[in-house]
Amino acid sequence: QVQLVESGGGLVQAGGSLRLSCAASTRTFSTYAAGWFRQAPGKEREFVAAISRNGGSTYYTDSVKGRFTISRDNAKNTVYLQMNSLKPEDTAVYYCAADPDRPYFAVVITIREYDYWGQGTQVTVSS
């Protein structure tokens, strides 16, 4: 019902930066909590970052704190993940997710609670 399309992935050297974008098809994106997850080859999908519906609250997994920033622009129906100081262990397919009807300040960090997912964008960090 809601389509999410990620973009901005690519190949970058360790220490470099990338900004991922996730564009949502819904015009009511401001009512959706959103998040980013990643999955490396042979590993389970893991939580990266989450943001509340209006951007007032954010939450990050420990391994990316201080390096990644999640943000959103509801006028553009888009959520972003700014990734700085990238490390080889950040290499993965990155997925955005969205979930409707959450309270204003709620962040969602579990896979099962998200209703909508994008197809993913590859991020590769070389050493």
Side-chain angles (χ1 to χ4, degrees):
Q1 299 180 50
V2 176
Q3 287 75 52
L4 304 174
V5 180
E6 302 97 335
S7 62
L11 176 65
V12 65
Q13 290 184 311
S17 298
L18 286 173
R19 188 179 76 158
L20 306 184
S21 298
C22 175
S25 64
T26 179
R27 291 187 173 94
T28 59
F29 190 56
S30 63
T31 67
Y32 289 73
W36 288 94
F37 294 75
R38 65 188 181 187
Q39 187 168 17
K43 299 183 67 177
E44 295 294 314
R45 191 183 303 171
E46 65 175 346
F47 169 75
V48 176
I51 190 166
S52 60
R53 56 190 286 183
N54 64 355
S57 299
T58 59
Y59 188 79
Y60 302 89
T61 192
D62 285 345
S63 63
V64 308
K65 287 180 179 177
R67 300 189 298 121
F68 291 11
T69 302
I70 188 171
S71 62
R72 65 192 297 161
D73 185 344
N74 287 336
K76 297 181 178 179
N77 301 321
T78 301
V79 62
Y80 305 96
L81 185 68
Q82 178 67 46
M83 304 185 294
N84 299 327
S85 302
L86 282 162
K87 304 175 181 179
E89 51 262 45
D90 295 319
T91 295
V93 176
Y94 283 71
Y95 299 89
C96 68
D99 195 67
D101 300 321
R102 294 286 179 172
Y104 281 104
F105 297 104
V107 292
V108 181
I109 65 172
T110 58
I111 293 172
R112 67 176 180 84
E113 292 186 277
Y114 278 104
D115 288 344
Y116 303 104
W117 293 85
Q119 292 298 115
T121 185
Q122 176 71 48
V123 172
T124 302
V125 184
S126 64
S127 59

